[in-house]
Amino acid sequence: MAKLYIANWKMCGEPAMALQWAEAMVRLLGATWQGEKQVVVCPPAPLLPLLKSALSASSIALGGQNCHAQPEGAYTGEISAPLLRAVGCDYVLVGHSERRALCGETSEIVRQKAARAIASGLIPVICIGETAQQRAEGQTLEVIQQQIDESLPEGASAQHFVLAYEPVWAIGSGKVPTLDEIAQVHAAIIAHVAQRIGLASPAEIGQVTVLYGGSVKPDNAKDILAVAGVSGVLVGGASLKADDFYTIVESGA
Ligand code: PGA
């Protein structure tokens, strides 16, 4: 299955950089590229319309970095899922660990946001992952299973959401789990999701999409993307430079 590559610019980037990035990615991916790989960019929200137009001739999709659980209303400063959809997004990140830690997002809130995203025609990329302390205490799988149980909307089917396994300690740190550790956690996530939403056949289970994120760089992407159970990558820092992100996209299937 074609892998999914998501660029998460976080609160970085500005109009001139976004235009250069779009021009470089379109050039690097080439005129013949028909979107065999799924490539998504999640810029700060004010850059979405500009990127929508700069990428109009390409197969690169757009995503938001967050959405509110309500479709509209008196929520100053928030961004609604229907509006993300209306300006051309196909995806939205929900429950990124920075939002869980800095904005007080609980798994219950993440579940509501993911449900709203699905109802609005977006694919939520639900982020989960353990802290360094939880890992040191041997709680990684337990924490992740609980996050899945609490963050996954009721009745969601595998095609309607993406999970991103992002160990909190690996984000922006240059540290990554071993390939065996990534394989083990991804297998556990897939098994838990399958059980939770009632998938039985290998074909159904094969539709569960689990990205790895946390210090993915041009020099480690190939190995990470080759790990069983890794359906793609969620890239922060290294996605800001088109050359680096392109190298990552080129590294996998
Ligand atoms: P990083 O961030 O690639 O800079 O570690 C990943 C993320 O936060 O999604």
Side-chain angles (χ1 to χ4, degrees), residues 69-246:
Q70 295 301 322
E72 67 172 356
Y75 302 101
T76 302
E78 293 290 341
I79 298 171
S80 82
L83 183 57
L84 288 174
R85 185 73 189 130
V87 299
C89 289
D90 290 315
Y91 293 83
V92 62
L93 307 181
V94 292
H96 188 283
S97 71
E98 285 152 15
R99 295 201 59 86
R100 288 179 187 261
L102 304 173
C103 307
E105 283 187 15
T106 61
S107 287
E108 167 65 17
I109 295 171
V110 173
R111 186 178 61 73
Q112 293 171 11
K113 291 182 175 208
R116 179 62 59 196
I118 294 171
S120 309
L122 296 167
I123 295 182
V125 179
I126 303 168
C127 303
I128 56 175
E130 82 287 0
T131 63
Q133 189 182 343
Q134 289 164 336
R135 188 178 194 86
E137 290 169 359
Q139 293 173 355
T140 299
L141 297 185
E142 202 180 309
V143 166
I144 279 162
Q145 286 169 354
Q146 189 177 352
Q147 287 176 333
I148 292 170
D149 288 343
E150 294 174 358
S151 308
L152 214 54
E154 283 305 315
S157 61
Q159 307 95 293
H160 290 155
F161 65 88
V162 168
L163 284 163
Y165 170 52
E166 297 206 298
V168 178
W169 52 273
I171 295 175
S173 66
K175 296 182 199 153
V176 282
T178 66
L179 299 177
D180 281 350
E181 285 167 341
I182 295 175
Q184 190 198 357
V185 176
H186 277 240
I189 292 171
I190 293 166
H192 195 71
V193 170
Q195 181 206 17
R196 172 88 207 285
I197 64 175
L199 307 176
S201 71
E204 284 178 321
I205 295 171
Q207 289 184 335
V208 178
T209 303
V210 187
L211 310 181
Y212 170 79
S215 294
V216 175
K217 305 288 176 201
D219 61 2
N220 64 16
K222 193 170 199 289
D223 289 341
I224 291 171
L225 284 158
V227 171
V230 173
S231 321
V233 285
L234 176 54
V235 186
S239 73
L240 289 163
K241 287 202 181 120
D243 284 353
D244 285 351
F245 188 56
Y246 173 73

